[in-house]
Amino acid sequence: MAEREVDRSVSQTVKAQLALRDQILSGSLRPGERISELQAVETTGASRTPVRMALVRLEEEGLLEAIPSGGFMVKAFSERDISDSIELRGTLEGLAARFAAERGVSARELEPLKECLAAIDELLRQVPISVDAFSSYVTLNARFHALLTELSRSPPLIRQIDRASALPFASPSAFVMAQSALAEAQQILIIAQEHHRVVIDAIENREGARAEAVMREHARLAVRNLRLALRNRTHLDLLPALALINAATD
Amino acid sequence: MAEREVDRSVSQTVKAQLALRDQILSGSLRPGERISELQAVETTGASRTPVRMALVRLEEEGLLEAIPSGGFMVKAFSERDISDSIELRGTLEGLAARFAAERGVSARELEPLKECLAAIDELLRQVPISVDAFSSYVTLNARFHALLTELSRSPPLIRQIDRASALPFASPSAFVMAQSALAEAQQILIIAQEHHRVVIDAIENREGARAEAVMREHARLAVRNLRLALRNRTHLDLLPALALINAATD
DNA sequence: TGAATACGTTATGTATACAATAGCAGGGGA
DNA sequence: TCCCCTGCTATTGTATACATAACGTATTCA
């Protein structure tokens, strides 16, 4: 295939990884479905070697599962897997918050976090919140969590949290909020924002235990609301990633 | 290279991964050192494709680090990275213990754990503990922790703990104990064994918070002793993995 | 008619060839 | 003498060819 157009600005491996992840998360590839290398080669435009590297990375990321007889399939997740992932992430973020509090952070380091907070406050003034504003919220929330994680100054912990966040639905707020009706989401967002505020306060005052506790509560709120949201699945299509859940095996 | 002898019983990728991990952990490859693919091909006996897959896996595992200009280098760890990893693992195992306690486990499921405990008790009767017995202890301790993790019945959590345990020095007891003089280790092992006993008791009685707390304390004991052990580095060569630490960059 | 076996097809695992880039060394100019 | 530019070399990134194993299908025998 000589006429294949190659984008040299980004490695074929990364390109393939992004494309495949996109296909999985968008639901083009269903959970349990075997991923054909040849098919992936065609859809991604990369050749087999980078595609295989991408598949290995996605397996390590937790999105794929190796088939004993060879090849990979899209991993299927149960409702409990998802709530466990949320709680897991909350636990790790709790540790990060505690590290930040105990190790101390300067006012300058907290500045970006507070800007995030203020921006979210601004969004939450809308009642009810618009779809656009909600989308902005999801971005800002992710940013807040990433910044908080960084504050721990612990590379191993940051790495682990990144891994735990690889599964998009493990991101508590973004996931759960997307599922609730936007009107209901408003209340949840307000509580979540309060959690954000408290964790900053705790870190500022070097209250490690409090910082940790509030992040764990943050996750438990998400789990609780996940259960509610799953009870009436009206908003299950708000996040493409949810296609994963629909076909979950158990 | 036609005369290369190929072992078909295990995949070349796995073979290469094991061989490379061994080289890293044994210290043949020093932290910060670039891993040459060609060299890896020669030492592992696999060709470049499986070697590359193994390198990607080891990177995801946290043993290697990608070099921006291409290729991989052995990751270097600071003392804080190591103590953070221990605390991280303790936190995750604490969550696992809590899950086990809250979700309930049958007496039959606790049986293997108790057998482990009894076997360790047997070893600890020796005063001072012999090198052989200590080696058995390390194995039994790893088994105990693995079984405990399983009790959580949470695939995402088990997966994450496995990842966190990939770094061998993140295994609290095995690592810290190896560094302390064996005579000192005896006391530490006895306390660790008490932790083990308490976590089982807590799980049996469905005391989630207590189960979690004791596992975290277990890790903190390890961190504390790590600091002590690093102060007088007499036993740094007991575990080959420690070669990593010697050349840690910061 | 059903089950088992054999054969063919297809997909993955592996090896290697080719291409491109980064790093280094040597030489020339300022 | 020092710096920069150019060319070479070595190593990685990518593509593809080949081998092998698994799965499906068809045919035959009981």
Side-chain angles (χ1 to χ4, degrees), chain B residues 76-141:
Chain B
F77 296 95
S78 68
E79 181 179 333
R80 166 163 278 187
D81 286 341
I82 296 164
S83 68
D84 279 4
S85 295
I86 295 173
E87 185 132 5
L88 173 56
R89 196 187 178 202
T91 302
L92 292 172
E93 289 186 330
L95 185 62
R98 185 160 70 80
F99 277 179
E102 290 178 351
R103 293 170 182 181
V105 291
S106 66
R108 203 180 58 68
E109 287 172 299
L110 281 176
E111 209 41 57
L113 282 278
K114 289 182 174 174
E115 283 167 18
C116 236
L117 235 65
I120 294 177
D121 274 333
E122 195 62 37
L123 290 174
L124 290 183
R125 276 204 194 101
Q126 281 186 36
V127 180
I129 193 168
S130 69
V131 174
D132 273 0
F134 180 77
S135 159
S136 304
Y137 170 82
V138 170
T139 308
L140 281 167
N141 180 63

Side-chain angles (χ1 to χ4, degrees), chain B residues 159-176:
Chain B
R159 182 186 171 80
Q160 199 86 343
I161 292 178
D162 283 345
R163 298 215 78 85
S165 312
L167 273 40
F169 49 72
S171 171
S173 304
F175 175 74
V176 172

Side-chain angles (χ1 to χ4, degrees), chain A residues 150-163:
Chain A
E150 289 288 337
L151 283 189
S152 70
R153 291 211 203 119
S154 172
L157 179 56
I158 293 169
R159 182 187 170 80
Q160 200 85 344
I161 292 179
D162 282 346
R163 299 214 76 86

